[in-house]
Amino acid sequence: MRFRVLGTLEIRVGQGWVRLERPRRRAVLAYLLLAPNRAVTVGELIEAIWGALPPSTARSQIQNDVAAIRKALLAWGQAETIVTTTGGYKLVSAAGHTDYQVFRRLVGEATAFAGRTNWAAASRKLSEAVALWQGTALADVAAAFAEPARAALEEQRLDAIERLAEARINVGYADEQIPVLREVVAAQPERERPAVLLMLALHRTGRRTEALAVARGVRTYFRVHHGLDPSQTFIDTERSVFVGSDSVDATPPGLAETAETSAAVSNGAASAVQAVPRSWLPRSPNGFIGRDGVVERLIRHVDEVVHAGESLVWMIDGMPGIGKTTLAVHAARLVKDRYPDAQLFIDLQGHAEASARKTSVVLRMLLGQLGFPTAALPPGAEGRAALWRDELSRRRCVVVLDNAASSEQIETLLPDAPGSLVIVTSRRRLTNTTAAWSESLPVLTGSEGIQMLAGIAGHGRVGAEPEAAAQIVELCGHHPLALRLAGARVSRRTSWSLADLAARLRNGSALSYLSAEDRTVTAAFSTSYEKLTVGAQNAFRVIGALPVDDVTAYTVAAATDGAVEQSQQDLDELADANLLVEHDVERYRLHDLMKSYAASLANAIDPAEVRTGWIGGCYDYYAAASALSLSPGGASSGVFQYFETAPTLRRELTPADPGPGWFAEEQANLLTLIRSAPALGRHERGGQLAMAVWRHLYNNSAVEEIVETQTIALEVARALVNDSLASAAHNYLASGYFTMGKLGLAERHLREALEIRRGIGDWSGFYVSQGNLATVYLVQGRMSAAARLLEEAIARDSTLDMVPSWLSMLGKTYAELGQSERALRTGRTALFLARQTTDLRRLLTALAVLGETRLRAGQPAPALRILRLCLALHQRQRNFDAVDVLNDLGNVYRELGMYDQAERHHRQALEASTSTRIRHVSAKIFNDLAYTLIAFGKPGAIEAFEQALQLAAAIGNEGERARASHGMAICLIDEDPEQARQHLKVALTLFEQEAPEQQDVARRLTHLDQGGSPALGPSKSGGG
């Protein structure tokens, strides 16, 4: 033996051992020693030493190193060890020149002895083999190839130790192997084989309870760390130990090679190996949860390709911990009867670049599962790949390639012949593959999450606290790994209720509670994060630090003052790594737990001033873009008129479509930014956003959001001592409360706005608020007061663009007061002025009011033409509601005697008013519908009046309350004159003196008091 690699790299000189002093020379010699008698090109050596980034002088450095190694070997008596070949070098080595060669020979001989059940001889050979190791292989070698080579050598060392333990147990020395195996099990918890041997050794020495404790520990580890159960071999051994069987085999299936295999080892003929078919698939977790649709699709695909005699490659990707491995194993077990020759499984360890298994190692392990011992395999990846594909072409196999790092890692592992199913899982989207089908796994549904939690924490506990269980599922973001860890935590703490765990997850950092032993959600996430480029890592932390949940390249570029194109590339990389979900085209969202992780990284890595700058850039972008959305030709001055500063927008950040479409996409972000502004100290930008979103929210009847955002704007105004902003917030708050039917609150906020605007001399704003207050009065039935306010506003400030709307409202008020000619004249003026503006909403208002006025003036035919035109214009603008127009058309059709059409339009208006939550309009529609039903002679009028009465009373709409009371009296006047009298008295007090309906009410009361016939009959308009 002339060289040692199973420890530090050493060279035999005389009776001692020496080392090369230069680290790179040690690395070059080590690589050649691991490829004896094979020509190695200079290019291969360069890649082995430096990896993907060699220096420009790499070739000359390799040549110099080889020359120096030759010189040293010659001086030490090792002449002609390294010879030059075409384009490279070859280390000439006879059998037994390295300790590694001796090690492999001894293991092969031991395998042959074990095949003949000569355990004593096998034990001696394996003892010699293990004794050759002087520590970690290649311990003093530093190069790109070194770590993967060390991992492969360590795998063989552990295999030899396990074989030695197996042999010693069979010889009868089970007791001496117990401490050795305990050490291996503790150091290598992923390996089942030493745990099985330890169980057997303990059982053989009468320590059955300890053997079962080992089994429980292994089960717990696999369930917590992988969500899986151990293999069938393990389970069979555990069952035999449990029942106390005396015939527990010390050599479980698959641990010892067959005699035929050992013969192949000694002959070096890999092709002679005939593997015994077996399943290497891990156990599926008990009670597999969810993914029904995915599994059904797989089985359907498998049946199709099996029938066609083809192969299938199925890719499963998803965020860390989402359940990819569990699904892959479960699916493989479901279809294994279609692939009877072998069911293989290997963890490619692709979660971290440094630990990803090399192709040659993977092929060695897969071929080993088919029955080929390491010594029987070709030395390089190319030869092993050829053997692998040859074996797949002759078998029907299902192969699970778990945790792939890249398309390149699995390229040579995929079948090129029909007959096999390969299931690949990866945290990344592997697009450069020949996969016929791919799935990106989402989180679990709510019911699936409850089932998973129950399976771990206990069905009884979940059944006893269903609400707390649902909260835990939500707080874990429906994430399978998080739920497993949460369930494991509460299952170990029997004094905890599920409500206790939910409270801890809610009030603390959820990530800190989602752990079990050394398994954490954070660790799962971090391995994916560490593989990202620097730019993508930075974008990930930016998204974590921002208060918004839904981002685009514009958002990230604005926050970082970077380029949109680069930000898009970073987001695409994050999406490909399944750290980010692309829920819409180029719109991305982090899972809740991933958001918490990204935020924690930002807090740990990025200084506070950097994070503050990101948030500021985000607010500046949204404030400027939202203002632009109101006036796509240029930022609306109305948004910024209340503030000292205004944000600017880089040309690159200008949205392609900055109008209502942009707002619809960004609405959730805008509302989040407004809500977060006070806590983040972004008062001014929060106020600007609140001003910008009002018009969009109002157009979409988003009244709750109006109230919420303007309440925050009022808070911001107080913090900034900004009276102008406060008056605008009061005015906008009134619009929300008005639409909700809370007329008292609307009136209160408008009076607040009037007081502030009078105090600061903002007369234009004052008369806007006064006109709005008049609208409130109109709905309340206070027509005279509404008319006075509108007349004053028009007279004092006739230059305002609000004048067309005020004139429309004034015309409506005159019509309600029975002043038809004045109403028509005012309505026509309003329509003329509205046509001069570009505001379609004001034109629609003018048309609607003029149509209603024509109807009140007894002109249903022109009213019908005007309202039909108005409805057609409304329907072109999907964000404008046409409730009033539909209802007024119903009134027109009633006057024309077209009762079916009248009822249909009322009911359409009622449905629209319900969806837009305009309660004061609903009260009017119920009244008008009731009057139509009376005219039609159909039942249901009393019920409709009762609905109107209830709504009108709730919102303080005295006009509609009076109309409902009037209508109730008409319905009851024949059957219950006294009840009708009471309703008429209520209506008389509610109608204003100028209202024409008051005269009809008084006449009916007088007739009843004089004992006359009550049946006077209603007017077709019903006072409406």
Side-chain angles (χ1 to χ4, degrees):
M1 191 164 62
R2 297 160 61 180
F3 300 96
R4 284 178 177 169
V5 295
L6 303 180
T8 56
L9 177 63
E10 296 178 325
I11 304 165
R12 183 69 175 253
V13 177
Q15 299 302 311
W17 297 88
V18 297
R19 298 172 65 238
L20 288 171
E21 293 301 322
R22 297 285 183 89
R24 192 173 64 244
R25 291 174 186 173
R26 288 199 300 273
V28 171
L29 178 57
Y31 192 81
L32 293 172
L33 285 170
L34 292 177
N37 302 312
R38 179 173 72 85
V40 177
T41 66
V42 174
E44 183 180 343
L45 274 171
I46 289 172
E47 183 178 358
I49 302 304
W50 287 285
L53 297 172
S56 58
T57 58
R59 180 171 290 274
S60 61
Q61 289 188 54
I62 289 292
Q63 292 168 344
N64 292 338
D65 286 336
V66 171
I69 294 169
R70 280 173 167 168
K71 184 177 180 181
L73 293 176
L74 181 62
W76 293 331
Q78 307 280 4
E80 297 303 320
T81 300
I82 301 176
V83 298
T84 301
T85 62
T86 303
Y89 307 96
K90 179 169 68 175
L91 188 144
V92 179
S93 175
H97 273 191
T98 69
D99 56 356
Y100 177 54
Q101 289 174 312
V102 175
F103 170 80
R104 288 184 59 181
R105 176 178 57 77
L106 289 169
V107 171
E109 290 172 356
T111 302
F113 283 125
R116 296 192 294 271
T117 65
N118 187 345
W119 295 109
S123 173
R124 288 193 299 274
K125 294 294 183 182
L126 287 165
S127 295
E128 292 179 40
V130 171
L132 290 170
W133 290 73
Q134 305 296 313
T136 302
L138 306 176
D140 58 347
V141 175
F145 80 92
E147 192 56 41
R150 270 192 288 271
L153 291 168
E154 177 64 11
E155 179 76 20
Q156 295 180 55
R157 184 185 76 86
L158 292 171
D159 180 74
I161 290 173
E162 292 163 9
R163 289 173 182 270
L164 175 59
E166 173 189 330
R168 296 296 289 170
I169 291 171
N170 277 292
V171 170
Y173 295 102
D175 54 343
E176 75 172 25
Q177 292 303 306
I178 290 173
V180 176
L181 289 168
R182 284 195 190 279
E183 184 177 343
V184 175
V185 169
Q188 303 289 332
E190 301 281 345
R191 301 175 73 88
E192 277 189 22
R193 186 179 180 187
V196 170
L197 290 168
L198 177 57
M199 291 161 60
L200 295 171
L202 290 166
H203 181 65
R204 284 287 181 91
T205 55
R207 297 155 71 174
R208 176 169 165 270
T209 302
E210 292 180 57
L212 293 174
V214 171
R216 286 194 299 274
V218 172
R219 280 185 174 278
T220 300
Y221 181 88
F222 273 75
R223 186 175 294 116
V224 170
H225 288 72
H226 302 294
L228 302 170
D229 285 337
S231 69
Q232 190 62 48
T233 296
F234 180 96
I235 292 168
D236 292 342
T237 304
E238 179 189 25
R239 184 180 296 113
S240 297
V241 171
F242 180 76
V243 300
S245 173
D246 293 331
S247 60
V248 179
D249 189 359
T251 311
L255 296 188
E257 305 286 345
T258 64
E260 291 82 1
T261 299
S262 62
V265 172
S266 58
N267 295 331
S271 59
V273 176
Q274 296 297 323
V276 178
R278 62 155 294 181
S279 174
W280 291 82
L281 297 174
R283 287 271 295 179
S284 292
N286 292 329
F288 180 82
I289 303 297
R291 314 298 190 196
D292 295 339
V294 178
V295 172
E296 288 172 6
R297 286 195 295 276
L298 170 68
I299 293 174
R300 186 170 63 251
H301 275 67
V302 166
D303 289 340
E304 290 171 357
V305 298
V306 167
H307 179 73
E310 300 172 350
S311 287
L312 174 64
V313 178
W314 180 34
M315 306 288 303
I316 309 173
D317 64 74
M319 66 186 296
I322 202 68
K324 303 178 292 295
T325 302
T326 303
L327 172 62
V329 171
H330 176 72
R333 286 193 167 277
L334 287 177
V335 299
K336 68 179 184 178
D337 61 311
R338 282 85 151 179
Y339 302 97
D341 295 335
Q343 299 92 43
L344 312 180
F345 177 93
I346 186 168
D347 181 359
L348 300 177
Q349 297 183 353
H351 55 274
E353 197 69 43
S355 65
R357 284 190 163 117
K358 300 298 182 184
T359 302
S360 60
V361 175
V362 172
L363 287 165
R364 174 179 60 77
M365 296 175 72
L366 286 171
L367 288 165
Q369 292 180 17
L370 288 177
F372 294 88
T374 302
L377 298 178
E382 187 174 339
R384 293 178 182 180
L387 177 59
W388 166 249
R389 284 180 168 157
D390 180 62
E391 289 299 317
L392 285 186
S393 69
R394 295 187 290 108
R395 305 172 188 254
R396 288 173 295 166
C397 304
V398 55
V399 184
V400 177
L401 304 177
D402 189 40
N403 205 1
S406 63
S407 301
E408 291 73 21
Q409 187 187 27
I410 64 171
E411 183 178 1
T412 58
L413 307 177
L414 302 181
D416 58 0
S420 295
L421 165 65
V422 178
I423 304 175
V424 183
T425 75
S426 177
R427 295 183 177 185
R428 302 183 61 83
R429 295 174 185 164
L430 306 184
T431 54
N432 297 324
T433 68
T434 57
W437 181 34
S438 63
E439 287 278 350
S440 292
L441 289 190
V443 296
L444 299 173
T445 65
S447 60
E448 291 170 347
I450 293 289
Q451 292 179 56
M452 175 171 282
L453 183 63
I456 300 169
H459 290 276
R461 298 177 75 176
V462 169
E465 297 183 81
E467 292 183 3
Q471 290 174 16
I472 291 171
V473 172
E474 288 298 322
L475 291 165
C476 289
H478 299 240
H479 189 277
L481 174 59
L483 284 167
R484 281 201 298 269
L485 296 176
R489 178 173 283 266
V490 78
S491 68
R492 295 193 304 269
R493 290 165 172 80
T494 55
S495 62
W496 282 20
S497 66
L498 295 186
D500 291 332
L501 177 60
R504 284 170 168 81
L505 293 173
R506 188 185 308 108
N507 299 328
S509 171
L511 289 174
S512 66
Y513 281 97
L514 298 177
S515 63
E517 298 180 3
D518 60 343
R519 180 73 162 170
T520 67
V521 173
T522 299
F525 291 170
S526 65
T527 53
S528 292
Y529 169 80
E530 289 164 2
K531 292 183 65 176
L532 299 170
T533 63
V534 173
Q537 287 182 342
N538 189 62
F540 183 71
R541 299 195 309 276
V542 169
I543 299 168
L546 295 180
V548 296
D549 295 323
D550 182 21
V551 300
T552 66
Y554 290 87
T555 316
V556 177
T560 59
D561 197 25
V564 173
E565 183 177 356
Q566 181 58 53
S567 296
Q568 185 62 58
Q569 292 176 9
D570 294 335
L571 291 174
D572 287 340
E573 181 179 348
L574 289 170
D576 287 341
N578 280 300
L579 295 178
L580 201 62
V581 177
E582 186 175 7
H583 65 92
D584 202 350
V585 180
E586 296 185 346
R587 298 195 70 86
Y588 305 86
R589 182 180 295 124
L590 284 174
H591 182 274
D592 290 347
L593 294 177
M594 197 70 77
K595 177 82 170 178
S596 297
Y597 173 64
S600 69
L601 283 179
N603 291 335
I605 296 172
D606 303 292
E609 58 270 21
V610 172
R611 302 195 306 272
T612 301
W614 292 342
I615 294 171
C618 179
Y619 268 96
D620 288 350
Y621 164 69
Y622 277 107
S626 60
L628 185 62
S629 74
L630 293 172
S631 179
S636 170
S637 61
V639 173
F640 302 130
Q641 65 179 321
Y642 310 109
F643 306 92
E644 294 181 358
T645 64
T648 57
L649 196 63
R650 279 190 283 143
R651 181 183 297 274
E652 185 186 16
L653 294 178
T654 303
D657 178 15
W662 178 88
F663 174 81
E665 291 182 337
E666 298 289 355
Q667 179 174 339
N669 281 340
L670 293 166
L671 295 177
T672 297
L673 289 168
I674 294 169
R675 294 175 186 126
S676 305
L680 294 173
R682 299 286 166 178
H683 294 88
E684 188 167 66
R685 293 293 182 260
Q688 290 168 347
L689 286 168
M691 294 297 101
V693 302
W694 173 79
R695 172 55 68 186
H696 292 297
L697 296 175
Y698 187 77
N699 286 348
N700 295 325
S701 300
V703 290
E704 282 87 356
E705 289 82 359
I706 289 175
V707 170
E708 180 188 12
T709 56
Q710 298 312 311
T711 299
I712 295 171
L714 203 54
E715 178 185 344
V716 167
R718 289 166 182 153
L720 297 175
V721 194
N722 187 330
D723 287 339
S724 294
L725 177 60
S727 67
H730 279 300
N731 196 65
Y732 289 159
L733 267 171
S735 72
Y737 285 127
F738 175 82
T739 308
M740 294 168 72
K742 298 181 179 181
L743 303 182
L745 284 172
E747 181 178 353
R748 192 190 82 190
H749 281 286
L750 286 170
R751 291 193 181 280
E752 291 272 6
L754 287 168
E755 183 177 349
I756 294 172
R757 286 172 166 172
R758 182 186 291 109
I760 63 177
D762 178 12
W763 295 108
S764 294
F766 178 87
Y767 289 116
V768 168
S769 296
Q770 182 168 303
N772 291 338
L773 181 58
T775 304
V776 174
Y777 285 172
L778 190 152
V779 172
Q780 289 176 330
R782 299 156 66 180
M783 302 302 170
S784 299
R788 287 193 298 272
L789 290 178
L790 290 167
E791 287 166 351
E792 180 182 355
I794 294 167
R796 294 291 182 91
D797 202 339
S798 60
T799 60
L800 283 175
D801 60 0
M802 290 295 296
V803 169
S805 297
W806 291 344
L807 284 169
S808 294
M809 291 300 101
L810 184 58
K812 183 178 179 69
T813 304
Y814 289 152
E816 294 285 351
L817 292 171
Q819 302 174 25
S820 298
E821 287 301 321
R822 198 176 184 187
L824 288 171
R825 187 168 59 252
T826 305
R828 283 192 289 265
T829 303
L831 181 59
F832 172 78
L833 293 176
R835 283 176 168 172
Q836 314 308 311
T837 72
T838 58
D839 190 336
L840 180 60
R841 179 176 286 275
R842 286 175 184 158
L843 177 61
L844 293 171
T845 299
L847 282 170
V849 171
L850 185 58
E852 183 182 2
T853 303
R854 287 282 191 182
L855 175 63
R856 283 185 166 273
Q859 303 172 17
L864 182 61
R865 289 194 300 272
I866 293 170
L867 291 171
R868 278 178 169 172
L869 171 63
C870 187
L871 181 62
L873 292 173
H874 265 290
Q875 289 170 342
R876 293 181 191 175
Q877 305 295 321
R878 295 181 181 178
N879 59 325
F880 290 177
D881 66 81
V883 175
D884 286 322
V885 181
L886 285 167
N887 189 56
D888 286 340
L889 276 169
N891 291 332
V892 171
Y893 285 123
R894 183 181 66 229
E895 292 300 313
L896 294 171
M898 303 167 69
Y899 299 124
D900 280 329
Q901 291 195 53
E903 182 183 358
R904 186 175 71 251
H905 279 78
H906 288 315
R907 295 197 183 279
Q908 288 177 356
L910 197 59
E911 181 180 353
S913 72
T914 301
S915 65
T916 55
R917 298 161 290 181
I918 307 174
R919 294 177 68 190
H920 68 270
V921 176
S922 298
K924 183 178 187 303
I925 298 169
F926 272 118
N927 273 330
D928 288 338
L929 172 62
Y931 282 115
T932 294
L933 293 173
I934 291 173
F936 202 176
K938 290 184 68 174
I942 289 182
E943 290 78 8
F945 281 133
E946 287 175 342
Q947 289 278 359
L949 197 59
Q950 183 179 354
L951 285 170
I955 65 177
N957 188 335
E958 304 297 351
E960 294 305 326
R961 186 180 165 200
R963 291 185 65 217
S965 296
H966 188 192
M968 291 286 286
I970 293 172
C971 292
L972 297 170
I973 206 162
D974 288 327
E975 296 179 5
D976 192 344
E978 185 55 36
Q979 186 69 21
R981 187 194 309 277
Q982 297 305 317
H983 281 295
L984 288 170
K985 287 181 177 180
V986 171
L988 189 64
T989 60
L990 294 175
F991 278 127
E992 287 198 68
Q993 289 186 358
E994 298 93 335
E997 294 90 348
Q998 192 185 57
Q999 298 175 16
D1000 183 67
V1001 172
R1003 181 168 58 89
R1004 290 179 185 274
L1005 266 174
T1006 301
H1007 201 74
L1008 278 174
D1009 290 340
Q1010 293 175 352
S1013 171
L1016 298 176
S1019 65
K1020 286 186 179 180
S1021 66

